[in-house]
Amino acid sequence: MTPTQGKLIVIDLMPILYRGYFVFLSKPRRTADGINTSSLSLLANTLEQMIRKFKPTHLAIAMESATPTFRHTLYPEYKAQREKMPEDIVAAILQAQELAAAWGIKLIQADGYEADDILGTLATRGAAEGFEVIIASPDKDLGQLAGEHISIYRPGDDSPLSAE
């Protein structure tokens, strides 16, 4: 099957926000009011670069559930070892939502599901409906989705992964 519907890019939000925060940790980007915009800056640059490079017909950003996922129900210690999210990243989530809305980009979040679940669902459904799909994420676990019409792009790495 040859893609005929266009090109769909689905972006994994949180790794980009985290990367933006830590890349600029020693010299954060701030507004005149002191608001840290390091994460938002990297997100905006990533979006702009991906739009320019891949020229998608459709674009969506996937983000984590605000509520516990089914994984937490099955295994209460799921991700319990993770450090608390820095407050600047928490604030960047709202900034990212506002940026997506301003740019007309659909930001998808579903209670009880992680971004990976959303990325996988959008990618497999998009490919089945005839889209060429690019998943933008540094998460190597998503490589299992790579196939004839689904590729993985690692923002900042510039080396797309595919099934070939």
Side-chain angles (χ1 to χ4, degrees):
M1 177 173 74
T2 302
T4 58
Q5 297 297 324
K7 189 178 292 184
L8 167 65
I9 295 179
V10 287
I11 298 172
D12 192 356
L13 177 64
M14 293 311 294
I16 294 171
L17 295 184
Y18 267 90
R19 184 169 172 241
Y21 174 77
F22 284 106
V23 163
F24 298 111
L25 191 59
S26 65
K27 208 170 186 180
R29 302 192 184 234
R30 297 191 182 277
T31 66
D33 295 333
I35 298 169
N36 187 331
T37 60
S38 298
S39 294
L40 186 66
S41 176
L42 185 64
L43 175 62
N45 287 336
T46 300
L47 287 169
E48 184 179 8
Q49 289 169 0
M50 293 195 69
I51 290 167
R52 198 173 329 120
K53 180 175 184 144
F54 297 111
K55 298 172 180 44
T57 56
H58 297 76
L59 180 60
I61 299 172
M63 66 179 286
E64 304 296 319
S65 171
T67 63
T69 69
F70 66 91
R71 292 171 183 88
H72 294 97
T73 304
L74 293 172
Y75 182 63
E77 285 79 38
Y78 181 68
K79 295 188 178 182
Q81 76 285 1
R82 290 207 173 163
E83 291 183 27
K84 186 178 179 209
M85 186 182 303
E87 287 301 315
D88 284 337
I89 296 177
V90 173
I93 293 170
L94 180 57
Q95 295 169 349
Q97 292 169 330
E98 292 172 355
L99 176 72
W103 283 21
I105 299 171
K106 182 73 173 169
L107 198 143
I108 302 171
Q109 178 183 37
D111 285 345
Y113 293 94
E114 293 185 356
D116 291 2
D117 301 318
I118 295 166
L119 292 165
T121 300
L122 291 174
T124 55
R125 285 186 181 175
E129 291 178 19
F131 285 89
E132 176 184 342
V133 180
I134 299 169
I135 300 172
S137 176
D139 187 344
K140 292 180 182 179
D141 289 341
L142 293 169
Q144 64 189 314
L145 295 169
E148 187 177 356
H149 299 294
I150 300 173
S151 60
I152 312 297
Y153 178 77
R154 293 165 52 192
D157 185 10
D158 222 23
S159 60
L161 304 174
S162 64
E164 287 95 55

